[in-house]
Amino acid sequence: MPANHTIPNHTTNYNFPALIFGIVLIICIICGNVLVCLSVYKEKALKTTTNYFIVSLAVADLLLAVLVLPLFVYAEFQDGVWSLNMTICDGLMTMDVMLCTASIFNLCAISIDRFIAVSIPLNYNRKHVDHRQIVLLSATWILALAVASPVMFGINDVPNRDHSECKLEDNNYVVYSSVCSFFVPCPIMLLLYCGMFRGLRNWEEARKAKLMSSMQACRKLQEAESLQPLSGLPPPLPPIIDKDLADMSLDELDQDQYPDSDSPYQADCKDGVVSMLAYPGESYNEDQNRNRQKKRAKINGRERKAMRVLPVVVGAFLFCWTPFFVVHTMRALCEDCDIPSSVTSIVTWLGYVNSALNPIIYTVFNTEFRKFFRKFVPTLPSCC
């Protein structure tokens, strides 16, 4: 491309704060997401299907930091002026659309995977990726590439194109890509999480109700036995019964609801009332049903704990990317609307910041990630 065709009659104002912030952001994204990938690769406790989806999300963020951000920061450093070849610009737009779409599709795939884990926990494989999860992982990247492919095939090559600016030129495509990448997946994702939280809440309420009835039954049994002139009195209530249920946290319930097999209550109260504590919702007289219900209770408790971090990841994603898609969709639908370039730049930066947030969120909310991160970052604050 001829040099005099690139930036005619334009004096470039260099934006050094954007350059410094961009370099720091790229370093943070690369370091944080490499640690996420390494932690899942190295730590056995982190080799779960959910974390494989998180690795896929981290790969999308890494590629964004390597393939998109350097060119974006370079353009921002030149005050938004594009001075490179337009073929490079089209490649940048293709990767930008594809990787941002892959990020949200990965989050959507995680929500589908979590919904399956909560809805049919006994048929869900946490340790090994099965065909369903392979399809989900593959679909996220194939669909993301499909959304970005029109740019690759020349939709950006319009007549009288301004070579001093790198952007998506076709407003119809801007709307189409925004709908496919954001406005359709996000409601689906939020509905799935609402369904998951409702299911887990119902499960916890049923467990608490069963605990309350079991407490009353065991206390009545103690009172009845204590009134009879027997040589031996029944053993004291187990810890889960002796505590006031209202004062117990969910973590305490998880710790206490599965008594050891050699517990003194194994042949006494466990086969009766305490069995109802561990396995709410099924008959405790049949060993097979009891074992299945014990497995379901353990899985549901584990999924509830795993769900703590994912809503934060989704919330951070929506906070960072919603302004971007709203602003760019408005620009495409309302060509006469005067949206300052500074607003467009800010919402774009905010979207890219999200790629650096996810590793921080994992460090704060996930114990196993936190342990692994501390091996590489010894100065990590104890609060994290």
Side-chain angles (χ1 to χ4, degrees):
M1 182 175 57
N4 60 359
H5 189 55
T6 304
I7 316 174
N9 300 324
H10 189 280
T11 302
T12 302
N13 297 317
Y14 295 109
N15 190 342
F16 286 96
L19 177 64
I20 297 172
F21 180 76
I23 292 174
V24 172
L25 181 62
I26 291 172
I27 294 173
C28 290
I29 293 173
I30 292 176
C31 293
N33 287 285
V34 165
L35 282 177
V36 169
C37 297
L38 282 177
S39 60
V40 176
Y41 176 75
K42 293 285 188 179
E43 295 295 320
K44 184 178 180 181
L46 290 173
K47 293 183 182 297
T48 65
T49 51
T50 299
N51 289 340
Y52 294 144
F53 283 96
I54 290 176
V55 168
S56 179
L57 178 62
V59 169
D61 290 335
L62 274 173
L63 292 176
L64 187 76
V66 173
L67 301 177
V68 175
L69 273 178
L71 292 175
F72 172 77
V73 172
Y74 177 73
E76 287 292 295
F77 172 63
Q78 298 194 91
D79 201 25
V81 177
W82 184 256
S83 60
L84 301 177
N85 191 287
M86 299 312 294
T87 303
I88 298 177
C89 171
D90 291 342
L92 172 63
M93 291 294 100
T94 301
M95 297 306 301
D96 193 11
V97 172
M98 187 186 77
L99 295 174
C100 291
T101 304
S103 292
I104 194 167
F105 281 0
N106 272 298
L107 288 172
C108 197
I110 290 173
S111 66
I112 295 172
D113 182 71
R114 295 294 82 211
F115 184 80
I116 294 172
V118 171
S119 301
I120 49 173
L122 298 181
N123 297 325
Y124 181 80
N125 192 340
R126 295 185 72 253
K127 294 297 182 182
H128 303 286
V129 177
D130 59 20
H131 294 297
R132 178 181 60 244
Q133 291 148 349
I134 291 175
V135 169
L136 277 175
L137 282 169
S138 302
T140 58
W141 289 95
I142 294 173
L143 291 175
L145 179 60
V147 172
S149 60
V151 184
M152 188 188 313
F153 293 124
I155 198 174
N156 238 21
D157 191 12
V158 297
N160 302 320
R161 184 177 183 181
D162 185 0
H163 288 252
S164 66
E165 188 176 9
C166 183
K167 63 177 183 177
L168 294 175
E169 300 290 343
D170 191 307
N171 288 334
N172 292 328
Y173 175 74
V174 172
V175 176
Y176 160 78
S177 62
S178 298
V179 170
C180 293
S181 303
F182 187 81
F183 292 111
V184 169
C186 280
I188 295 174
M189 184 167 50
L190 293 176
L191 286 174
L192 288 173
Y193 275 113
C194 288
M196 280 182 276
F197 283 118
R198 186 180 296 111
L200 289 174
R201 185 178 66 246
N202 292 340
W203 173 77
E204 288 177 355
E205 289 175 354
R207 184 178 64 172
K208 288 182 179 180
K210 189 64 65 175
L211 284 169
M212 291 294 291
S213 63
S214 299
M215 288 170 62
Q216 296 173 359
C218 273
R219 282 171 178 161
K220 288 180 180 180
L221 180 64
Q222 273 195 331
E223 292 173 0
E225 291 290 339
S226 62
L227 294 176
Q228 297 179 6
L230 299 176
S231 57
L233 293 177
L237 291 175
I240 194 171
I241 300 297
D242 197 35
K243 285 188 177 184
D244 183 2
L245 183 64
D247 296 332
M248 294 181 69
S249 67
L250 292 175
D251 288 336
E252 287 176 311
L253 290 177
D254 286 337
Q255 293 170 3
D256 294 335
Q257 67 176 334
Y258 310 114
D260 296 334
S261 58
D262 56 352
S263 170
Y265 306 103
Q266 176 76 16
D268 205 349
C269 194
K270 185 176 186 296
D271 288 336
V273 178
V274 175
S275 299
M276 297 171 63
L277 296 177
Y279 326 119
E282 293 286 343
S283 173
Y284 54 85
N285 293 322
E286 300 180 4
D287 291 339
Q288 184 176 3
N289 289 341
R290 190 163 59 194
N291 291 335
R292 285 177 62 84
Q293 208 52 30
K294 177 179 180 180
K295 183 178 179 182
R296 178 182 292 275
K298 285 183 176 181
I299 293 173
N300 279 339
R302 183 168 56 229
E303 297 303 333
R304 177 182 55 76
K305 292 179 178 180
M307 285 285 290
R308 292 175 180 173
V309 63
L310 296 178
V312 182
V313 174
V314 174
F317 185 92
L318 294 177
F319 174 79
C320 291
W321 281 111
T322 301
F324 172 86
F325 283 100
V326 169
V327 168
H328 282 265
T329 304
M330 285 180 59
R331 289 184 64 184
L333 294 176
C334 180
E335 297 182 6
D336 296 330
C337 295
D338 184 18
I339 299 177
S341 59
S342 58
V343 173
T344 304
S345 180
I346 289 172
V347 296
T348 306
W349 277 111
L350 182 62
Y352 291 144
V353 165
N354 178 254
S355 298
L357 288 182
N358 290 339
I360 298 174
I361 294 172
Y362 304 143
T363 305
V364 173
F365 287 90
N366 189 296
T367 304
E368 297 299 331
F369 275 115
R370 187 161 61 241
K371 289 179 180 177
F372 184 85
F373 278 31
R374 280 179 176 168
K375 295 178 182 179
F376 289 85
V377 189
T379 58
L380 195 68
S382 58
C383 62
C384 296

